[in-house]
């Protein structure tokens, strides 16, 4: 980083102690945007970097709720409204025990640039709670969501801040949250949340969007290199919503996903993951991956090891942050991996990115490759505003076009700034410039 930018980063670390994920996300962006700062000195004069690294608003609140045994539980809720230069704050809610302010800030910071890359009028934000919905009854989840929204409702709105789902927040949780918002406000404001059910204002392809979008981006990367997904051996981490629909789209485009994972280990099926069985286990029965081998005897469940040791042509990390470290990156290189496309948020550490780069492995950062989810969320907002509903085919086509446009922005921006083929630099510079120009135009806000 240039010395002046290094000083800004040191200030960010000093002002936000104990938040390593946020520090990592900020450094990853600041290390890339030097060429843009050199070409546009007005950004430094207006202190765009300092302003973009400081959230516009941070909200932290108590969430009391009652479990099925009558015991009162207390969790902590968060909403970080990071940057609204391009539109209302937009970003998911994550319910997971690991959630704390630093995680939410890292996700919100990433969301600024991801949303900018879509070309749509949405700002960046993120939220969540340190609540774990796993093992909780539907009624416990409902009571938690109602308590969470009882505080959150005063901070959100269709023209202010529009949350969606993330880890631990699916259609069930969004439904409970929306019901409570409607109950408190006495308004049927469809556009206040996205990821809603199709029966009350949801969008076709929203559930599939992040997984599909990552694969569409991978397909564009391969096409740019004169290749395609056809016949490719693919490994996916995770087995939740993003991973399942990444598997589905890889298979539709001619590739074969041979392995996926969960917190216990990974599943290897050399004939290709049986998508319908995986979906039944994870979406309907909420079972572990080792149940798969009871139905498919030739498959192997490996516990306590990383899925990245499985040889592959393409890797799609779709689980959580920092899941690919140096050792995992070295294993991918040794296994012949030619491309890594992030379906999750920041799943690859800086060390791993360097190892992949030195080995010539093409790498697509999450802020570009996993933007499909928020892109379709913005399209859901558009449909809600016009009281319209699109078909699955229409929505999927718009998603594919959006991912193609994001790829083109990353590719052409990297080349324009003398860094051809560097998707990280292309994504960061393109997203940063769009937000910076909007902030300049709006003055000191």
């Amino acid at each position: 980083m240039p010395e002046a930018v290094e000083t800004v980063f040191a200030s960010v670390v000093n002002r936000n102690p104990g938040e390593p994920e946020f520090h990592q996300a900020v450094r990853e962006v600041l290390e890339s945007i030097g060429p843009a700062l050199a070409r546009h000195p007005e950004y430094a004069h207006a202190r765009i970097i300092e302003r973009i690294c400081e959230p516009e608003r941070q909200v932290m609140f108590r969430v009391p709720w009652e479990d099925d045994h009558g015991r009162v539980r207390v969790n902590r809720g968060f909403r970080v409204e990071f940057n609204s230069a391009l539109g209302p704050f937009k970003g998911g809610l994550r319910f997971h025990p690991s959630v704390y302010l630093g995680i939410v800030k890292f996700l919100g910071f990433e969301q600024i640039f991801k949303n900018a890359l879509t070309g749509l009028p949405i700002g960046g934000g993120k939220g969540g709670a340190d609540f774990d919905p796993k093992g909780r009854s539907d009624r416990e989840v409902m009571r938690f969501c109602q308590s969470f929204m009882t505080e959150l409702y005063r901070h959100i709105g269709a023209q202010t801040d529009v949350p969606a789902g993330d880890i631990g927040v699916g259609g069930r949780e969004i439904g409970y949250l929306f019901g409570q918002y409607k109950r408190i406000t006495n308004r049927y404001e469809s556009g206040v949340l996205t990821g809603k059910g199709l029966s009350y204002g949801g969008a076709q392809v929203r559930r599939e969007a992040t997984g599909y979008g990552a694969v569409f981006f991978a397909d564009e990367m391969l096409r740019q290199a004169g290749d395609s997904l056809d016949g490719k051996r693919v490994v996916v981490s995770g087995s939740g919503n993003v991973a399942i629909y990444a598997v589905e789209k890889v298979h539709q485009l001619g590739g074969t996903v041979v392995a996926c994972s969960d917190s216990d280990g990974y599943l290897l099926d050399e004939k290709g993951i049986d998508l319908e069985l995986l979906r039944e286990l994870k979406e309907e029965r909420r079972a572990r991956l080792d149940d798969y081998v009871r139905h498919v005897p030739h498959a192997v469940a490996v516990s306590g090891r990383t899925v990245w040791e499985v040889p592959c042509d393409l890797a799609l990390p779709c689980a959580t942050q920092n899941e690919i470290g140096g050792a995992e990156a070295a294993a991918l290189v040794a296994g012949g991996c030619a491309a890594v496309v992030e379906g999750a948020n920041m799943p690859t550490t800086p060390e791993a990115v360097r190892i992949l780069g030195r080995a010539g492995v093409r790498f697509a950062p999450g802020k570009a490759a996993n933007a499909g989810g928020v892109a379709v969320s913005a399209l859901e907002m558009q449909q809600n505003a016009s009281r319209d509903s699109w078909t699955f085919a229409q929505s999927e086509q718009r998603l594919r076009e959006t991912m193609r446009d994001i790829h083109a922005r990353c590719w052409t921006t990297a080349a324009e700034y003398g860094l051809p083929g560097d998707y990280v630099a292309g994504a960061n510079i393109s997203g940063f410039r769009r937000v910076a120009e909007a902030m300049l135009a709006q003055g000191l806000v």
Side-chain angles (χ1 to χ4, degrees), residues 247-268:
V247 172
E248 180 172 271
K249 188 52 64 177
V250 167
H251 288 175
Q252 289 175 3
L253 295 181
T256 302
V257 177
V258 297
C260 63
S261 65
D262 62 16
S263 56
D264 290 339
Y266 70 85
L267 171 71
L268 176 64

mmCIF file of all heavy atoms in Angstrom, residues 247-268:
data_model
loop_
_atom_site.group_PDB
_atom_site.id
_atom_site.type_symbol
_atom_site.label_atom_id
_atom_site.label_comp_id
_atom_site.label_asym_id
_atom_site.label_seq_id
_atom_site.Cartn_x
_atom_site.Cartn_y
_atom_site.Cartn_z
ATOM 1 N N VAL A 247 -24.004 -26.480 -6.882
ATOM 2 C CA VAL A 247 -23.947 -27.843 -7.418
ATOM 3 C C VAL A 247 -24.939 -28.006 -8.565
ATOM 4 O O VAL A 247 -24.606 -28.535 -9.636
ATOM 5 C CB VAL A 247 -24.247 -28.879 -6.306
ATOM 6 C CG1 VAL A 247 -24.386 -30.283 -6.902
ATOM 7 C CG2 VAL A 247 -23.164 -28.862 -5.244
ATOM 8 N N GLU A 248 -26.156 -27.529 -8.365
ATOM 9 C CA GLU A 248 -27.184 -27.667 -9.390
ATOM 10 C C GLU A 248 -26.763 -27.007 -10.699
ATOM 11 O O GLU A 248 -26.871 -27.594 -11.784
ATOM 12 C CB GLU A 248 -28.490 -27.052 -8.887
ATOM 13 C CG GLU A 248 -29.640 -27.153 -9.893
ATOM 14 C CD GLU A 248 -30.961 -26.715 -9.287
ATOM 15 O OE1 GLU A 248 -31.644 -27.593 -8.707
ATOM 16 O OE2 GLU A 248 -31.291 -25.520 -9.362
ATOM 17 N N LYS A 249 -26.252 -25.777 -10.619
ATOM 18 C CA LYS A 249 -25.908 -25.054 -11.848
ATOM 19 C C LYS A 249 -24.662 -25.638 -12.513
ATOM 20 O O LYS A 249 -24.587 -25.687 -13.757
ATOM 21 C CB LYS A 249 -25.725 -23.569 -11.537
ATOM 22 C CG LYS A 249 -25.563 -22.687 -12.772
ATOM 23 C CD LYS A 249 -26.650 -22.886 -13.819
ATOM 24 C CE LYS A 249 -28.029 -22.507 -13.352
ATOM 25 N NZ LYS A 249 -29.039 -22.660 -14.440
ATOM 26 N N VAL A 250 -23.690 -26.099 -11.729
ATOM 27 C CA VAL A 250 -22.520 -26.766 -12.327
ATOM 28 C C VAL A 250 -22.964 -27.961 -13.148
ATOM 29 O O VAL A 250 -22.525 -28.159 -14.299
ATOM 30 C CB VAL A 250 -21.515 -27.201 -11.238
ATOM 31 C CG1 VAL A 250 -20.477 -28.162 -11.826
ATOM 32 C CG2 VAL A 250 -20.813 -25.992 -10.640
ATOM 33 N N HIS A 251 -23.847 -28.772 -12.585
ATOM 34 C CA HIS A 251 -24.325 -29.949 -13.310
ATOM 35 C C HIS A 251 -25.089 -29.555 -14.571
ATOM 36 O O HIS A 251 -24.949 -30.188 -15.630
ATOM 37 C CB HIS A 251 -25.194 -30.807 -12.386
ATOM 38 C CG HIS A 251 -24.410 -31.520 -11.328
ATOM 39 N ND1 HIS A 251 -24.997 -32.267 -10.327
ATOM 40 C CD2 HIS A 251 -23.073 -31.599 -11.098
ATOM 41 C CE1 HIS A 251 -24.064 -32.776 -9.534
ATOM 42 N NE2 HIS A 251 -22.895 -32.381 -9.985
ATOM 43 N N GLN A 252 -25.886 -28.506 -14.496
ATOM 44 C CA GLN A 252 -26.636 -28.057 -15.667
ATOM 45 C C GLN A 252 -25.715 -27.565 -16.787
ATOM 46 O O GLN A 252 -26.051 -27.677 -17.970
ATOM 47 C CB GLN A 252 -27.613 -26.949 -15.280
ATOM 48 C CG GLN A 252 -28.787 -27.425 -14.443
ATOM 49 C CD GLN A 252 -29.681 -26.282 -13.971
ATOM 50 O OE1 GLN A 252 -29.451 -25.119 -14.317
ATOM 51 N NE2 GLN A 252 -30.695 -26.602 -13.177
ATOM 52 N N LEU A 253 -24.558 -27.022 -16.412
ATOM 53 C CA LEU A 253 -23.634 -26.472 -17.407
ATOM 54 C C LEU A 253 -22.551 -27.467 -17.822
ATOM 55 O O LEU A 253 -21.595 -27.095 -18.498
ATOM 56 C CB LEU A 253 -22.996 -25.189 -16.878
ATOM 57 C CG LEU A 253 -23.960 -24.014 -16.654
ATOM 58 C CD1 LEU A 253 -23.219 -22.786 -16.150
ATOM 59 C CD2 LEU A 253 -24.724 -23.676 -17.937
ATOM 60 N N GLY A 254 -22.709 -28.731 -17.414
ATOM 61 C CA GLY A 254 -21.836 -29.775 -17.933
ATOM 62 C C GLY A 254 -20.688 -30.193 -17.057
ATOM 63 O O GLY A 254 -19.919 -31.089 -17.418
ATOM 64 N N GLY A 255 -20.520 -29.570 -15.877
ATOM 65 C CA GLY A 255 -19.471 -29.987 -14.961
ATOM 66 C C GLY A 255 -19.969 -31.058 -14.006
ATOM 67 O O GLY A 255 -21.157 -31.416 -14.006
ATOM 68 N N THR A 256 -19.062 -31.590 -13.183
ATOM 69 C CA THR A 256 -19.431 -32.606 -12.199
ATOM 70 C C THR A 256 -18.863 -32.223 -10.837
ATOM 71 O O THR A 256 -17.642 -32.089 -10.683
ATOM 72 C CB THR A 256 -18.874 -33.993 -12.585
ATOM 73 O OG1 THR A 256 -19.372 -34.365 -13.870
ATOM 74 C CG2 THR A 256 -19.295 -35.048 -11.569
ATOM 75 N N VAL A 257 -19.739 -32.023 -9.856
ATOM 76 C CA VAL A 257 -19.304 -31.757 -8.484
ATOM 77 C C VAL A 257 -19.107 -33.095 -7.792
ATOM 78 O O VAL A 257 -20.042 -33.885 -7.652
ATOM 79 C CB VAL A 257 -20.339 -30.903 -7.722
ATOM 80 C CG1 VAL A 257 -19.889 -30.713 -6.269
ATOM 81 C CG2 VAL A 257 -20.533 -29.552 -8.396
ATOM 82 N N VAL A 258 -17.870 -33.359 -7.376
ATOM 83 C CA VAL A 258 -17.547 -34.656 -6.788
ATOM 84 C C VAL A 258 -17.462 -34.597 -5.265
ATOM 85 O O VAL A 258 -17.401 -35.647 -4.618
ATOM 86 C CB VAL A 258 -16.234 -35.223 -7.356
ATOM 87 C CG1 VAL A 258 -16.366 -35.475 -8.854
ATOM 88 C CG2 VAL A 258 -15.046 -34.301 -7.058
ATOM 89 N N ALA A 259 -17.439 -33.403 -4.679
ATOM 90 C CA ALA A 259 -17.309 -33.316 -3.227
ATOM 91 C C ALA A 259 -17.937 -32.036 -2.699
ATOM 92 O O ALA A 259 -17.934 -31.003 -3.370
ATOM 93 C CB ALA A 259 -15.835 -33.364 -2.816
ATOM 94 N N CYS A 260 -18.491 -32.133 -1.489
ATOM 95 C CA CYS A 260 -18.982 -30.970 -0.744
ATOM 96 C C CYS A 260 -18.715 -31.249 0.731
ATOM 97 O O CYS A 260 -18.222 -32.327 1.087
ATOM 98 C CB CYS A 260 -20.459 -30.706 -1.029
ATOM 99 S SG CYS A 260 -21.581 -32.029 -0.534
ATOM 100 N N SER A 261 -19.037 -30.297 1.601
ATOM 101 C CA SER A 261 -18.624 -30.452 2.993
ATOM 102 C C SER A 261 -19.652 -29.909 3.963
ATOM 103 O O SER A 261 -20.584 -29.201 3.581
ATOM 104 C CB SER A 261 -17.279 -29.747 3.217
ATOM 105 O OG SER A 261 -17.422 -28.352 3.035
ATOM 106 N N ASP A 262 -19.471 -30.241 5.249
ATOM 107 C CA ASP A 262 -20.164 -29.565 6.344
ATOM 108 C C ASP A 262 -19.175 -29.457 7.502
ATOM 109 O O ASP A 262 -17.978 -29.712 7.316
ATOM 110 C CB ASP A 262 -21.478 -30.252 6.730
ATOM 111 C CG ASP A 262 -21.317 -31.677 7.229
ATOM 112 O OD1 ASP A 262 -20.180 -32.064 7.574
ATOM 113 O OD2 ASP A 262 -22.320 -32.412 7.275
ATOM 114 N N SER A 263 -19.637 -29.075 8.670
ATOM 115 C CA SER A 263 -18.714 -28.803 9.767
ATOM 116 C C SER A 263 -18.028 -30.071 10.285
ATOM 117 O O SER A 263 -17.042 -29.973 11.020
ATOM 118 C CB SER A 263 -19.444 -28.102 10.919
ATOM 119 O OG SER A 263 -20.544 -28.881 11.354
ATOM 120 N N ASP A 264 -18.525 -31.260 9.919
ATOM 121 C CA ASP A 264 -17.914 -32.511 10.379
ATOM 122 C C ASP A 264 -16.810 -33.008 9.458
ATOM 123 O O ASP A 264 -15.965 -33.804 9.860
ATOM 124 C CB ASP A 264 -18.979 -33.603 10.499
ATOM 125 C CG ASP A 264 -19.935 -33.351 11.656
ATOM 126 O OD1 ASP A 264 -19.565 -32.602 12.573
ATOM 127 O OD2 ASP A 264 -21.050 -33.895 11.624
ATOM 128 N N GLY A 265 -16.820 -32.600 8.203
ATOM 129 C CA GLY A 265 -15.864 -33.122 7.236
ATOM 130 C C GLY A 265 -16.388 -32.951 5.826
ATOM 131 O O GLY A 265 -17.101 -31.980 5.545
ATOM 132 N N TYR A 266 -16.066 -33.904 4.945
ATOM 133 C CA TYR A 266 -16.555 -33.764 3.570
ATOM 134 C C TYR A 266 -17.056 -35.087 3.005
ATOM 135 O O TYR A 266 -16.760 -36.170 3.531
ATOM 136 C CB TYR A 266 -15.484 -33.152 2.664
ATOM 137 C CG TYR A 266 -14.282 -34.027 2.345
ATOM 138 C CD1 TYR A 266 -14.301 -34.948 1.285
ATOM 139 C CD2 TYR A 266 -13.095 -33.893 3.063
ATOM 140 C CE1 TYR A 266 -13.191 -35.715 0.978
ATOM 141 C CE2 TYR A 266 -11.978 -34.655 2.762
ATOM 142 C CZ TYR A 266 -12.027 -35.572 1.711
ATOM 143 O OH TYR A 266 -10.920 -36.326 1.405
ATOM 144 N N LEU A 267 -17.823 -34.955 1.943
ATOM 145 C CA LEU A 267 -18.409 -36.088 1.236
ATOM 146 C C LEU A 267 -17.787 -36.165 -0.146
ATOM 147 O O LEU A 267 -17.708 -35.159 -0.857
ATOM 148 C CB LEU A 267 -19.926 -35.884 1.100
ATOM 149 C CG LEU A 267 -20.670 -36.866 0.197
ATOM 150 C CD1 LEU A 267 -20.735 -38.238 0.854
ATOM 151 C CD2 LEU A 267 -22.078 -36.349 -0.085
ATOM 152 N N LEU A 268 -17.338 -37.354 -0.556
ATOM 153 C CA LEU A 268 -16.760 -37.583 -1.880
ATOM 154 C C LEU A 268 -17.598 -38.602 -2.634
ATOM 155 O O LEU A 268 -17.797 -39.718 -2.155
ATOM 156 C CB LEU A 268 -15.316 -38.079 -1.748
ATOM 157 C CG LEU A 268 -14.599 -38.453 -3.046
ATOM 158 C CD1 LEU A 268 -14.441 -37.232 -3.944
ATOM 159 C CD2 LEU A 268 -13.237 -39.083 -2.744
#
